[in-house]
């Protein structure tokens, strides 16, 4: 947050009325004993599955300390301030480059899904309450380029034009 060089990272907070002009509102999620605050995603918990309140904004982010683990913070004031979940981290693995959680609700199973970059793979976990996570599967061990690190996954279900079917699209960054 103090310049354009790699270092002490937080989540900032900016607002816009038109998505073109932005006003910085200050830092929203700060480093702690688990580490600095890497990337992640946020959702609105419309049905209060996590128990933080109806329509709470839940952020899942990577705590980057000795290990990279996944943590939660929540907002009950529309995203103006965030409170860290007292039982962080919520997902841990002994994997280098274990980061960048992307959360979404999967209606057919009535569960939250998170996809994470895990070295040169993607890992998927499910949860009913955003706090307790179960490993479901991995993707990428023998697919794609493996000369660098995979990051920032996004998993999107798209309709197949002219059919009643859909396909999943995985988008991720890659660097060497």
């Amino acid at each position: 947050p103090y310049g354009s060089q790699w270092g002490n990272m937080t989540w900032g907070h900016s607002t816009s009325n038109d998505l073109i002009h932005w006003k910085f509102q200050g830092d929203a999620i700060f480093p702690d004993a688990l580490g600095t605050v890497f990337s992640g995603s946020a959702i609105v918990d419309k049905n209060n599955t996590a128990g933080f309140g109806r329509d709470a904004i839940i952020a899942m982010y990577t705590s980057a300390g000795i290990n990279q683990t996944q943590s939660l913070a929540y907002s009950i004031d529309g995203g103006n301030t965030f409170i860290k979940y007292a039982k962080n981290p919520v997902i841990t693995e002994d994997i280098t480059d274990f980061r960048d959680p992307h959360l979404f609700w999967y209606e057919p199973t009535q569960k939250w899904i998170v996809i994470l970059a895990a070295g040169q793979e993607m890992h998927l976990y499910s949860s009913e309450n955003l706090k307790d996570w179960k490993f479901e599967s991995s993707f990428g061990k023998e697919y794609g380029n493996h000369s660098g690190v995979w990051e920032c996954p996004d998993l999107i279900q798209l309709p197949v034009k002219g059919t009643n079917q859909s396909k999943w699209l995985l988008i991720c960054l890659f660097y060497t």
Side-chain angles (χ1 to χ4, degrees), residues 146-166:
H146 288 276
S147 62
V149 177
W150 294 14
E151 290 192 319
C152 302
D154 198 356
L155 192 59
I156 305 166
Q157 190 174 20
L158 298 170
V160 176
K161 187 175 181 178
T163 73
N164 292 330
Q165 299 178 332
S166 62

Side-chain angles (χ1 to χ4, degrees), residues 53-112:
R54 187 171 194 79
D55 294 327
I57 298 172
I58 314 288
M60 180 181 266
Y61 60 92
T62 299
S63 293
I66 295 170
N67 295 315
Q68 292 180 358
T69 59
Q70 311 317 309
S71 296
L72 295 179
Y74 61 96
S75 174
I76 54 176
D77 63 4
N80 291 312
T81 59
F82 282 84
I83 302 162
K84 289 184 181 175
Y85 177 52
K87 295 182 181 177
N88 280 335
V90 294
I91 304 176
T92 62
E93 293 285 347
D94 189 20
I95 301 170
T96 304
D97 300 319
F98 183 63
R99 58 179 175 248
D100 309 326
H102 175 79
L103 281 171
F104 61 95
W105 177 255
Y106 188 56
E107 190 66 31
T109 61
Q110 294 286 293
K111 291 184 180 178
W112 294 101

